[in-house]
Amino acid sequence: MKTFSFTCELPNGVHARPANHVETLCNNYSSEIKWTNERTGITGNAKSVLSLIGTDTLFEDTCTISVEGSDENEAFEKVKQFIETEFEHCDAPLETANEDDGEFVPLPRNFANLKAEHIRGRAVSGGFGRGKLVRVGAVDFDSLTDLPPVAAIEEEKNQLEAGFETLSRSFKVQLASAAATEADVVKAHLAIVNDIEFKATLDAKMAEGKGAAEAVIATAKHYTAQLKNSASAYMRERELDIRDVCFQLLQAIYGEDKFSNSLALTGPTICLADELTPSQFLELDKSLLKGLILTRGGSTSHTVILARSFAIPTLVGVDETKLGDRLGHEVMVDGDLGLVVTEITKPVSRYYEQEQRVQDTVRERQAAFRDQKGMTADGKPVKLAANIAHSIEAGPAFRNGAEAIGLFRTEMLYMDRTCEPDEDELYNIYCQAIEDADGKSIIIRTIDIGGDKPVDYLQIPAENNPFLGYRAVRIYEEFIDLFKAQLRSILRASAHGSLKIMIPMISSLEEILWVKDILAEIRQDLRKEHIPFDEKIPLGIMVEVPSVAFIIDQCCEEVDFFSIGSNDLTQYLMAVDRDNAKVTKHYNSLNPAFLRTLDHIVTSVHRHGKWVGLCGELGAKGSVLPLLVGLGLDEISMSAPSIPATKERVSKLDSRQCRILLNKAMDCRTSLQVEHLLAQFRMEQSDAPLVSRDCIMLDADLRSKEEVIKTLSDNLFLAGRCRYPNSLADDLWAREDVFSTGLGFGFAIPHTKSEHIEQSAISVSRLAKPIQWGDEEAQFVIMLTLNKHAAGDQHMKIFSKLARRIMQEEFRSKLMNAASVAEVENTLKSELELA
């Protein structure tokens, strides 16, 4: 026997994925290989995933591996080498979001003041929904009491064996068509079915005289108890896979009629789960699914992507223990604020009714732009495209008004699985996107993995500075078969629609020439194989490494188009790690140096008659849009939900004025000067009067100070005077915290100078009934919101005038008894000399 000891370096301990790596290696040898956790004293069979998980090995546990048998020397050397060089890379750090870790931003005061009972979570899909909280995805084996009668022991064994074969075939059929996350889940479940310890436990239960159903349930409970006793919360959650497989085994033996785990929804529902596979999500009735709460998971799983595509509000990282007593009760999921409201009071209901009114108004207004082409007020076309990470997002993106897919990030197709997708799987995925595109173009970016986007099975070593490391095009030469398979799949799919190939992280001409050589080789192979493809498929590159900006003329000679990745280009140009909180203040895309770089790139590309777009997060920022239009970009790509709003904004811009603005911005000395320039531009674009009818409400059914401030702030947003109504409302509340603005006589004058108001305004709400406003009652509210950078002393002058007029009964009577909005407007303009 040979042994060696080591310390477990996996942050999440030995769960299913790293255990699968160990099991796969050890099953290559006939020797007996044991894994002992010295902390727990538990020894497991290293050839069994379940047995390895059962050792409860956590981060920094000391472990011993022993090898004994005919090939122990070779096995010992290979296992030892694996543990020393590869084992630590078998798992990525777990994504978590804890309420106490300071990651959650403060809630807006309009909501916080309601004192609503709630639980925070990490928002990964926006919107809000209300419904009965239902637990899905898990199986309660204690509730399975009406079991089939036990037959003769041989018959029971035969039933169990047949069930194993049926389930194994089912998993293999699913694998043939499954993609990414779904395939990874299926493979994990197939590994459990084939696990020797799993089968041994079942056999042991049968030997005790149990029937097949009893043995399966007892085995499920055995492993559930084993995992639930783990000191690691992450490990405790792994028992979901065991429960899933055992329940599917029962269905394979006795049929789904006998053992049903239907996810059928009977009314508006909020689903709570540890996690859902994509197939489970797709089974749910989307018309009744009003929200999704996952206790774990990240923002990039396919289930979350599906939830976004179907506009299902979704949270991850929610502490389920805080929701246990709310099962079967109505809750509200807010995917914008990142919370679950557990007690829906009347004020909470009214808060979300107002949110719904705003959303409905915006949706109705933007619907007119959804099917129009992006066009400035002076007739200059600006194509607006969508960024996607999977073909399942393509359909919703085009239905939301996308004129193209400006960025198909393909790395998601390679992540969260045990091996890379093959050529046929990729081909089918791209063809699915092409079908939804209906002739519109799709830019497919080849894999940008490595570095900060680890893929376990490639075993790329961890790096100190992954953003500057071994990633994207830099790994292609080592993983040439993987790269070629992707290029072949794209070329094959190009026979069915308009595709373009884009290469990420290009920093030199040598890289472009190498890629072109590989592409030429693959084209020639396809011709020999008589496989059709688009002979003129365009080849482009991402402009994200600053060095490309200085050889852009040479690049124009070699590629057909360019797409600026504003996120990475900003951080590389400014030498700022955007994930480092200590330097994020330097990550600013309004820096004049960055704007000058963009202008140089676009001007140079156009001078050579080539096409250039932008596909970073900058594209969806309405405040920066005039600068992007001024650049003369051919296309701006963004998340699909942002497209209708951006089309509306573009339609109000004059490209010539935007160019003048860009020239001024590039002449600025600081980012702050650019911000002020943009604020001034927005004010000049909409020279709305201080008092206007769209900001006046008469006899409104508003029942609290919070409802008044929220509704009037929302109205300013709908009127185009404010982009962030919650932030504006917070500024108003900050003023209220100093002293109440209730003046008596039934009047209140909330006011602020704020950077969040773009067009200064006086908003009015005459209420149907008086409400409490500090120590006073108020029925007539005049809200004064002035732009921080343009107000000067206008703020106090208007406030003083208003306060003096309110002291006069005639003025108060005119407003209180006004018969129309026009009468209120005229009274204020006349009395405040604003006409």
Side-chain angles (χ1 to χ4, degrees):
M1 178 189 294
K2 292 196 162 198
T3 66
F4 69 93
S5 297
F6 63 97
T7 299
C8 176
E9 299 181 5
L10 301 183
N12 305 315
V14 179
H15 58 89
R17 185 162 47 170
N20 189 53
H21 285 280
V22 176
E23 178 221 38
T24 301
L25 173 63
C26 292
N27 274 309
N28 291 323
Y29 305 98
S30 60
S31 293
E32 185 178 67
I33 305 175
K34 297 293 185 184
W35 177 302
T36 300
N37 181 347
E38 302 298 344
R39 176 180 60 83
T40 62
I42 300 174
T43 297
N45 182 352
K47 296 182 178 181
S48 163
V49 169
L50 298 180
S51 190
L52 284 167
I53 292 174
T55 64
D56 195 20
T57 300
L58 307 180
F59 178 58
E60 294 188 339
D61 278 353
T62 299
C63 301
T64 299
I65 289 181
S66 62
V67 184
E68 184 176 16
S70 59
D71 55 0
E72 67 181 43
N73 289 332
E74 182 185 358
F76 177 83
E77 291 301 326
K78 291 293 186 182
V79 173
K80 190 170 187 292
Q81 181 185 16
F82 173 83
I83 294 295
E84 290 175 349
T85 62
E86 299 179 30
F87 184 61
E88 65 177 302
H89 305 304
C90 285
D91 191 24
L94 177 65
E95 282 190 275
T96 59
N98 299 313
E99 188 166 356
D100 299 327
D101 63 7
E103 288 185 7
F104 295 120
V105 297
L107 295 172
R109 286 288 297 276
N110 285 333
F111 182 86
N113 286 4
L114 302 180
K115 305 296 183 186
E117 293 184 18
H118 67 274
I119 298 167
R120 298 300 297 270
R122 188 152 55 87
V124 292
S125 180
F128 55 89
R130 177 175 179 168
K132 184 169 71 174
L133 184 64
V134 174
R135 187 72 165 83
V136 298
V139 177
D140 180 9
F141 285 96
D142 289 327
S143 66
L144 302 180
T145 53
D146 183 23
L147 301 181
V150 179
I153 188 64
E154 284 303 316
E155 186 178 340
E156 291 290 334
K157 286 183 178 179
N158 291 337
Q159 282 186 309
L160 182 62
E161 188 60 36
F164 263 109
E165 292 178 5
T166 300
L167 187 57
S168 182
R169 283 197 304 271
S170 174
F171 283 152
K172 289 173 182 177
V173 169
Q174 290 177 51
L175 273 177
S177 59
T181 301
E182 188 180 355
D184 202 29
V185 172
V186 174
K187 286 175 183 175
H189 288 185
L190 185 58
I192 292 171
V193 168
N194 294 327
D195 190 281
I196 55 177
E197 290 293 323
F198 182 64
K199 289 185 176 179
T201 303
L202 275 167
D203 290 341
K205 300 299 180 185
M206 294 281 285
E208 295 172 4
K210 290 180 169 57
E214 291 176 318
V216 172
I217 292 171
T219 298
K221 290 181 177 180
H222 165 78
Y223 284 110
T224 293
Q226 192 178 63
L227 292 174
K228 278 188 173 179
N229 289 330
S230 173
S232 163
Y234 186 76
M235 296 294 288
R236 291 195 295 271
E237 292 170 348
R238 300 303 98 197
E239 48 100 12
L240 173 69
D241 289 327
I242 301 294
R243 281 186 279 150
D244 268 1
V245 169
C246 287
F247 194 80
Q248 290 180 74
L249 183 54
L250 288 174
Q251 290 179 318
I253 298 171
Y254 301 103
E256 293 186 18
D257 291 339
K258 178 64 180 174
F259 290 98
S260 174
N261 188 29
S262 174
L263 297 180
L265 307 182
T266 58
T269 303
I270 305 295
C271 285
L272 169 67
D274 291 326
E275 62 181 4
L276 286 179
T277 65
S279 56
Q280 285 177 311
F281 177 86
L282 291 171
E283 283 181 28
L284 298 169
D285 185 341
K286 306 309 176 299
S287 67
L288 297 176
L289 180 62
K290 301 303 179 183
L292 191 59
I293 304 171
L294 303 175
T295 61
R296 56 189 171 86
S299 60
T300 58
S301 78
H302 281 186
T303 300
V304 169
I305 289 172
L306 282 166
R308 290 195 201 109
S309 298
F310 285 96
I312 304 297
T314 303
L315 305 182
V316 299
V318 177
D319 185 350
E320 182 183 354
T321 61
K322 298 179 180 179
L323 286 170
D325 62 346
R326 300 308 301 162
L327 289 173
H329 296 268
E330 268 202 327
V331 298
M332 180 80 72
V333 169
D334 191 322
D336 299 317
L337 299 182
L339 55 84
V340 184
V341 180
T342 55
E343 192 68 38
I344 305 177
T345 60
K346 187 63 176 176
V348 168
S349 290
R350 290 177 60 82
Y351 176 93
Y352 283 104
E353 286 168 7
Q354 168 63 12
E355 286 283 278
Q356 190 64 56
R357 280 193 289 271
V358 172
Q359 284 196 5
D360 290 344
T361 301
V362 170
R363 191 178 295 112
E364 183 179 345
R365 191 174 69 197
Q366 292 177 352
F369 293 91
R370 187 171 290 117
D371 298 325
Q372 293 182 14
K373 291 185 177 180
M375 187 80 68
T376 63
D378 59 320
K380 182 177 175 59
V382 181
K383 183 180 285 188
L384 296 173
N387 298 335
I388 65 172
H390 196 281
S391 59
I392 53 181
E393 294 181 273
F398 286 117
R399 289 191 291 275
N400 210 44
E403 298 177 66
I405 299 299
L407 174 63
F408 188 153
R409 300 183 179 95
T410 58
E411 48 273 12
M412 270 289 297
L413 308 178
Y414 293 77
M415 299 171 73
D416 297 324
R417 52 191 293 160
T418 55
C419 64
E420 71 270 16
D422 62 25
E423 181 184 323
D424 288 339
E425 181 181 339
L426 292 171
Y427 166 77
N428 289 328
I429 290 171
Y430 301 146
C431 285
Q432 181 184 340
I434 287 170
E435 184 176 348
D436 289 323
D438 192 26
K440 299 182 178 72
S441 68
I442 299 175
I443 296 176
I444 299 180
R445 184 177 73 184
T446 54
I447 46 175
D448 182 7
I449 54 180
D452 64 317
K453 298 172 185 172
V455 172
D456 291 342
Y457 53 83
L458 295 185
Q459 298 177 5
I460 298 172
E463 299 175 276
N464 291 332
N465 197 336
F467 287 110
L468 299 180
Y470 196 49
R471 56 177 289 199
V473 69
R474 299 172 179 182
I475 74 167
Y476 291 174
E477 190 168 1
E478 179 180 351
F479 301 100
I480 188 65
D481 290 339
L482 181 145
F483 180 49
K484 285 182 175 180
Q486 182 172 36
L487 290 180
R488 279 181 61 95
S489 62
I490 297 172
L491 285 170
R492 286 172 55 196
S494 71
H496 307 291
S498 177
L499 294 187
K500 301 177 183 179
I501 301 173
M502 182 162 68
I503 311 297
M505 200 67 183
I506 291 291
S507 60
S508 68
L509 205 61
E510 288 88 342
E511 290 166 332
I512 295 175
L513 296 174
W514 180 82
V515 167
K516 290 184 72 173
D517 285 343
I518 299 298
L519 191 58
E521 176 187 327
I522 293 171
R523 287 172 186 261
Q524 190 59 32
D525 289 343
L526 291 176
R527 292 186 191 105
K528 289 178 181 177
E529 297 168 36
H530 303 291
I531 296 175
F533 65 92
D534 179 5
E535 290 280 359
K536 295 182 179 179
I537 185 171
L539 173 67
I541 64 169
M542 289 282 290
V543 183
E544 48 196 342
V545 181
S547 59
V548 169
F550 298 96
I551 56 168
I552 201 75
D553 55 334
Q554 295 174 336
C555 294
C556 284
E557 296 171 1
E558 300 295 338
V559 300
D560 303 301
F561 70 93
F562 301 82
S563 187
I564 299 168
S566 60
N567 308 342
D568 276 342
L569 183 57
T570 301
Q571 76 169 351
Y572 290 143
L573 186 70
M574 309 309 298
V576 174
D577 179 356
R578 62 189 178 200
D579 294 326
N580 184 338
K582 290 186 177 296
V583 296
T584 48
K585 67 179 181 180
H586 301 293
Y587 180 85
N588 193 329
S589 298
L590 294 182
N591 188 297
F594 179 73
L595 297 178
R596 291 185 181 193
T597 303
L598 290 183
D599 187 52
H600 167 71
I601 293 167
V602 176
T603 302
S604 300
V605 170
H606 282 167
R607 189 184 303 124
H608 286 80
K610 297 296 175 73
W611 181 101
V612 58
L614 182 141
C615 62
E617 292 176 9
L618 198 63
K621 292 185 177 180
S623 60
V624 185
L625 187 62
L627 296 178
L628 302 183
V629 172
L631 283 168
L633 291 160
D634 298 295
E635 178 181 281
I636 304 173
S637 194
M638 62 200 69
S639 62
S642 302
I643 290 173
T646 305
K647 283 186 177 181
E648 182 182 15
R649 293 190 191 107
V650 167
S651 71
K652 298 175 182 178
L653 295 173
D654 185 295
S655 64
R656 295 159 297 189
Q657 292 178 0
C658 291
R659 181 66 217 187
I660 294 170
L661 174 69
L662 176 65
N663 290 338
K664 290 179 179 178
M666 290 190 295
D667 285 339
C668 288
R669 296 164 65 90
T670 67
S671 302
L672 185 60
Q673 287 180 349
V674 177
E675 288 181 23
H676 290 169
L677 186 68
L678 286 171
Q680 183 66 35
F681 179 80
R682 288 193 294 271
M683 284 189 288
E684 292 171 355
Q685 286 294 296
S686 177
D687 190 18
L690 196 61
V691 178
S692 61
R693 298 180 188 184
D694 56 358
C695 295
I696 299 174
M697 303 173 63
L698 296 185
D699 305 320
D701 178 25
L702 303 177
R703 302 177 188 180
S704 68
K705 191 174 180 177
E706 285 76 17
E707 287 191 10
V708 171
I709 290 178
K710 174 173 175 53
T711 301
L712 293 183
S713 298
D714 286 343
N715 284 353
L716 290 169
F717 165 71
L718 294 173
R721 294 176 181 243
C722 163
R723 286 182 294 126
Y724 305 108
N726 280 337
S727 298
L728 175 62
D730 284 350
D731 288 345
L732 288 158
W733 279 109
R735 187 63 172 162
E736 293 292 321
D737 289 341
V738 178
F739 60 83
S740 173
T741 54
L743 296 185
F745 306 105
F747 278 74
I749 314 179
H751 54 279
T752 185
K753 285 197 297 184
S754 171
E755 64 183 349
H756 299 295
I757 188 76
E758 295 180 353
Q759 286 291 315
S760 297
I762 293 177
S763 304
V764 174
S765 180
R766 187 175 71 193
L767 308 180
K769 294 180 181 179
I771 61 170
Q772 199 65 35
W773 200 284
D775 296 330
E776 306 282 347
E777 278 197 337
Q779 190 169 3
F780 204 102
V781 180
I782 304 174
M783 190 171 85
L784 178 60
T785 49
L786 300 182
N787 180 275
K788 183 177 181 179
H789 304 295
D793 61 353
Q794 184 187 25
H795 175 261
M796 289 313 300
K797 285 181 178 178
I798 296 175
F799 181 82
S800 298
K801 272 187 181 181
L802 272 173
R804 287 197 302 270
R805 294 293 191 276
I806 287 171
M807 296 299 118
Q808 301 170 6
E809 184 177 354
E810 182 183 356
F811 177 74
R812 298 198 305 270
S813 179
K814 277 185 180 179
L815 293 177
M816 281 290 196
N817 298 313
S820 66
V821 166
E823 193 173 329
V824 172
E825 178 189 27
N826 293 334
T827 298
L828 287 174
K829 284 183 175 180
S830 173
E831 294 287 341
L832 299 178
E833 300 173 353
L834 298 172

